[in-house]
Structure formats: structure tokens, C-alpha cells
Amino acid sequence: MGSYAPPAQFYQIQTSSYITAMDIASSAQTLAFGDGAGCVHQFADTQDYNVNPYSMSLETPDITPPPSVTMVEDSPLSSVGMPYYSEQLLSAWPAKTRFDVGQPAPQIDPEVIRNMKTIDFVGYAPNPGNARRNQAPRKKKHQHDKDVPKFRSEQERELLLSSSILLEDDEEETKHSGRRSSSVGDLASSDPLALIMPKHYRRVEILYSKFGVDDFDFGYYNRTHFGGLETHIRNSYCNSLLQVLYFNIPLRTIAKSHIKIDCAREHCLLCELGFLFRMLEDSKGQNCQATNFLRAFSTFPQAEALGLFESDTPDRQTSYSTLMQNFTRFILEQLHQESNTPGCNPLICESFRQEPETPSTIQQLFGLQTMSQSTCSSCHNEVTRITYPFVVDMLYPKKQDQKLRKRSFTSILKGSMYRENQTKAWCSECRQYQPTTTKKVIQGLPGVLMINSGAGSSDEATIWRQNGPNTPKPKKQQEESEDGESPTQQQPASWVPDRFGIHLNGSDLIIRALPVGREIPPEFMQSPDNCAIYELTSTILQIHADDEVPHLVAQVKVPEEELESPNKTPWYLFNDFLVKRIRPEEVFSFKGAWKTPAVLHYRRVDLDKLLRTSVLPSEVDYSLLFKDMSIAQTPREDQAHEVLGPDEMPQKGTLVAIDAEFVALNQEETEVRSDGTKSMIRPSTLTLARVSVLRGEGDKEGKPFIDDYIATPEPVVDYLTEFSGIKPEDLDVAMTKHTLVPLKVAYKKLRMLLDLGCIFIGHGLKKDFRTINILVPPEQIIDTVDIYHIRNRHRKISLRFLAWHLLQQDIQSESHDSIEDAETALVLYKKYIEYRKNGTFGKVLEEVYEAGHRANWLKGPKETPSRTPSGALPPMSPFYSPSARHLPSQQ
């Protein structure tokens, strides 16, 4: 025997009886045969062979007898049944994982279609000269491999193998180890009008390794202390507007004040906006997610009716510019409704004091106070009403009016704000439809002016490109400029003004560009009720490069008090999770055909003097922590948790133990390559299903005070019962016996504990907090997966093995229980304190790793002592990875 034995060689067992048994050692180095006479014959290929004396007998699966099926001529084939498959059949795979093969049909040149004439259903067009006859050029996809960072696991492996570290040679930004970030390089000085798209405007996507999203190097794209937003969430096109709203300091104050009160709305976008703003404040450059906000947004039927939901498969024909403009109008109207409490609205702007009823805080900040007058041409009956539109939609002259289409930005804006037209409307006096004159007169100026560019098509975008900065105008043409704007011969001015003033002169409206550094005319220095000077603070652009799917980015002028370096440009690009400082020339030039303006955000320069945000609620309502609320119809009276008492108010440094369980809303999307390997396109979407928080100290140490099951309006595709312990009836309002609450309630409790300064103890909390969508500073986390870990070891030990080895406890034997897991992590932390005091922690940790290697990291039975003999193998149990406690596919 042996691997080098001749094929025809065999050995004869010398026995006068017959063979009754045969076995092979688990080391595969010896064979044993038993005969009928009771003798054992042993064979080995070496004299010194190894045998495992504690090997266990091999457990074979039970054999299920096949069903007896009788087939006749008319028997259906479905009665035969299908054999057992370990993987899904290709026919059962979702459509997202199947892709068409082949080169897509080329796009026809718009010039060809424009000049085409149809004769007998056949189209004829002259060759524009940029294509060969009967040939379509094959466009190759851009290769951005050199612009994609390596996974963090690859970087760590390279650092272990190499003693040298390649440092970034960009002196302007923070040094970063790893590959050179050519994707965020500066714009070449030879292209001052940004005709060529810089690399940092390209669409960025998250790549996934076998370790999941945590292995992606987000720091490669962001070296600032501002948080970026991730893109693997549906409707993530909203990220650009969310970043713009975050840097609107008054709105941030309103949203943060709103989460301090007791809001009864289950899906409140203002609450979710406040939670997101708090997370971005604490990010310090870490990437964040708008998961909870976008999930609440997806529950609004009005948004679906307006077509605001992004399709699952991105389309190159989608106008994200138009989509963003509609979303801007919807979100401001929704925030107004959620912040409006008639009769109790706080007055934060003095200019609204004359109103009979104080508008909402959103109206006071964004509302353009407009008086609409409708006059009947027959009876001259006049109807007047006051409205507060939040967005100004720019209206452009018709395509035939070429002279009007070259008007200044401020004149087009004036025509969009001040309108008078003739239409037919119902007259209450005449009791019939009559020709009616409708006139809109601006009566009050907002603190923040949101302008929809209206450039949804190529025709409107052309106005921005042809009127942008170019060579200086001739002197004669400068003298004919509109609105009395002073001419300049030194530098070309941007068509989009950095500043402009608005003056209300009775029913007349005066808007004029006010270049920075020039003297402000006296008519714009009068009362703030009639005059306002606005400064551009952010823009949202649609980026469309070559054949890529369009996407949106935000250019934000960061407020001075939050700048990293006051001496450098305040403009930053927020391309989802890519954040980079940019030049002002990139903001004010629209010459490049690769970008289309969507939304402009102007702010009053004197807004801080006009607003009194101190009247907003500042005291946090902590009553939610001291009451047990449930939406379950028949909750059990003897719950496992006991809410906090009035004398148990958490303080800064209070220890609490936490664990959470999750369910899947969507399965992960994978792509199978031609070589059979799989690549993850988008991970599974998880949502919080249960969260348990225990007291970490005091007389009631280990007693849970939060044990909430979370109701979700979205369908659950997998309850992950084996890993979460959650069953379908646990989240059913009619069937559950547990404390069932909306997601916002559970999240708000955790937010309160975080803001109070509590220290969270748990096992694998990084993944839990990421899925919950809350950012906890490292100084408020005590993670036992990091405590019981040796740095130069790749293995991180599971909670189940630590409990078996150190505590002689058998947890997670059948399913997971968040209370049990949180309590175990708390006890392990107390054990760690004990080991540190007596100086034995290092020795204990080495023993844990030694026992894990001997046992192959498989826990033993309850009666097995924690220190097993060398070479002993405990019984089989499911493999467990602490880095993915709830989803084994992400191990």
C-alpha cells in the first residue's frame, strides 16, 4: 500500500477465517482488518505511523427510502419527482443574475435622426461624415482597474509580505497607505473651463470580496473629515440632495431638534433626516448609509405615484436631473407637513410676524412668500391667496427665440418667479368658466432659495453651455448687457452668478448679479424684508460620461465654521462615498457636455442674523426609555425584560450589553463568470428584527431593559431562523407575544443611549451597528471579539466557543437568542477584567487559541471540560464565524 505502490501490487491477509470488519485511521496512515477468529490484522506503509486515539465514529446520514411511484401511459411527469440538489437549478435563479450575451445595438447618431426623411416607410439620411458606410464602430468599455483600490485584506497581506509602504505623494491631502489614488487627481490647469470630465466625477461602485463590504477600502476615496454615503441601497440617487441638506445648518438644527421631541409618526422623514445628520456629524470621515431614511421614503405612495423610485436596473435613458428636481420638490413639501403643528409653530424668522398664523419652520426657511391674484375679465372679481412654494422652476424661452435664450441667468430667474398669464378659470361670481388673469407677486423672500434648473433635455442644457464663461465680451456687447449689470473686460464672468440680489419694489421684482469684490448698489442695502443678497452654496449635477449610466453628484460650499483648512477652497465634491476638495472653476463652468445642472442652492448672506433657532426644542424627551410600548395585539404580560426605573437614568460611561438579530429583505445578487467563479454584485439587504439591551452594572446587572421585536412593512424573504432565532410569527402584529415596535422606536432608544454616553458591550458589534445604521464612536464600544483576539492571528473567536471554553456554557445550541448572547458577552468582559487584575489574561488567551486549534474551533458537549486533552476532537457542530454571525454566506 502507499501512494507509490505499483498498481498491481496487493497484500493477502493471512487468516484461516473470514474478514468481518475493516477500518482506516483518521490519519490515513494505517488500516485494520478483523476476522471471524477474533484477530486484528494491521497494515501500514511506515514503521512510525500516527494514530488519533480519540477519533469519533463516522456518522452517516439516514437513508430515506425512495417513494414508490407507479407509472402508466397517462401519468404526469411531475409525479416522478426531482432528485435532491445541493444548489438551486438555473431555472430558479432570479432574473437579476441572468445577463444577455453579445454586443448591444449601437445608438444612432441624433443628427442622423434629425435629418432623416421617410419614403415608403424607409428612412433616408445623409451620412454626417463621422461614420463609415454600413459599419458601426465597437465601443470598448473603459477599464478603471487602476482606479479601483485593493481590498483591505489584500493590503494587509501585502504589508505583511513587504516592509516598504507606498505613500501618497499628494501634499495637499492626508497621507494614505496603499495604491496611488489617480481617480481623485486634480483637474489639469490646461482645462480651466472643465471641458474634459475629471476622474473624480466618474460613477463609483462598491466592490465586494468574500469578507463582505467591510473589506472595501472606503478611505481610498475620502480623506476628509466629512462622511460620504454608500450606493448599494435602492434610491441612493438621493444621496446628493441629502449631502446638500446636511450642510444647510439651519435645516440641520431643525431636524436635530425634531428628534428630541416625541414624534408619533411611524415613517417620519424629518426624524430620519435628523438621525442621518447626527450620524454624519459623528462620522469624522467614515462612510455612512442613508438606509433608514430611504426605507422610510419608499413607504410613501405619493412618491411612487410621482415616479420617484429608482428602477432596479439602471437605465442610460433615465434623466436623473429631472428625477432629482421632482424629489427636491417632494421632500421639502413632506418635511413641511411633518414639521407643521398649527398654532404651535415656533417663530424662527422675524419677517413672518405679521402673519395671522405662524407657518412651519420649513416654510419660514425655504418658503417663497407669494401672493396669487386671479381676476375675472367679466365681473372683475378678484381672488387672492398666499402660498409658500419651496422651489423655483426655471422657465426658458422657446427654442425659436434665439435672442431671448441668450439672456442672463438673473433675467430668466426673474421671469420664472414673476409671472402673469391669461387662462380660463371658474369664477365664483359669474358661476361659470371665464377668461381670467393670473398674476403672482412675491411678498416675502426665503432664507434659502432652491432653484430647479429645468435642464432636463439637451435643449435646455445648451443654454447653460452657450452662456457659460468664455472669452471676454466685446466692449459694445458688454454695454448692451441686461439688467444694468456692469460690464467687465478683464475676466470672463460665469453665467451662474456667485451672488445676486433681489429687491421687492412694490409689485415689481428686481434681480441683479452682484459679483464678489464689487460695491453693492444702495437698493439692495435696504430693509431685509424687501431686500436679500443670495450666495451660491451648492449645486447638484447629473454626470453622464460616454456610455455609462448617468448619476448625480453634489458640489457643496462647506460653511466656514466646519472647514478643514480655512485658507483653502471651501468647495467639495460629494460623489456618493467619494469626497474631495475641488476648485471653484469646476462649479461655475457648465461648458462641458458631460454635466447637466439639476438643482441650485442659494443662501441669504445675512441668514444667521435673521434666524432665532434658540426657540426650537432643546430638551430631549427621554420618556421612551421608561415605558414599555407595543403594537402587538396580544402581548405576553410576563416579558423577559424590565424597563428602566426613574432612578436608573443612564449617565456618561454607563455600561450596557447589547445584541441584535436581523432578517433578510432581499437576497444577495451574484454574477457567475465563465470560469465558474461567483462575484457578488450587491449584498443581501438586512433589517433589524430584534434588539436586546441589558444592564451592565448595578444591583440588576444582566437584567434586560430593552427587548424589542421590530415590525417591518416590507416583505421578508428569509427570516434566517437558524442564525437569528426569529420566526415569522414573532414579527406578526396579530400573532406575536413579544414587545413589537416600529423600527423608528427601537432606533430612537439606541440613539438616546448613545447620546447619553453609554458604553456598549457585545460581540461583533461593528456589523450589528452597521446594519442598524447607527454610527457609534470607538470609545463607546467594548467588543469581546476584539478583546479575545491576538493581533497577529487571522482567526477571530466566536462567542459560542468562548462561552464553552471559558464559561463552560453551551449557547446557541438550537438557535440564537439576543438576550443570551448579550449576557454572555457581558460575563466575558467581566472575566477579562478579572484576568487583567491578576495578570493572567495573556496566558488565558494563548490557551484559548491552543484549545481552538486542537478542537478545530468546534465546541464540545456540556459535560466536556473546557481544557480537553491534546489531540482530542469534540463532536461536530456548525461552523461559526464571528465576523458574520447572522449570514453564513458572508463568511
Side-chain angles (χ1 to χ4, degrees), residues 87 90 93 97 670-680:
E87 295 184 357
L90 289 176
W93 284 21
T97 59
T670 58
E671 179 183 32
V672 181
R673 301 190 181 97
S674 58
D675 58 358
T677 59
K678 292 182 179 180
S679 174
M680 185 185 299

Side-chain angles (χ1 to χ4, degrees), residues 208-276:
Y208 304 94
S209 70
K210 62 181 180 180
F211 301 107
V213 69
D214 293 334
D215 202 25
F216 188 74
D217 186 9
F218 288 101
Y220 178 88
Y221 296 96
N222 184 7
R223 303 174 200 173
T224 70
H225 65 250
F226 305 118
L229 295 175
E230 297 182 12
T231 59
H232 63 278
I233 313 164
R234 190 188 178 196
N235 298 321
S236 59
Y237 77 90
C238 305
N239 288 348
S240 55
L241 181 61
L242 296 179
Q243 291 284 16
V244 168
L245 297 180
Y246 169 72
F247 286 101
N248 188 323
I249 304 300
L251 176 62
R252 190 195 307 180
T253 305
I254 293 173
K256 288 166 53 179
S257 173
H258 184 74
I259 63 176
K260 296 178 181 179
I261 64 175
D262 186 11
C263 177
R265 292 176 181 261
E266 180 179 354
H267 302 292
C268 177
L269 293 185
L270 189 55
C271 281
E272 299 297 345
L273 206 61
F275 295 142
L276 177 62

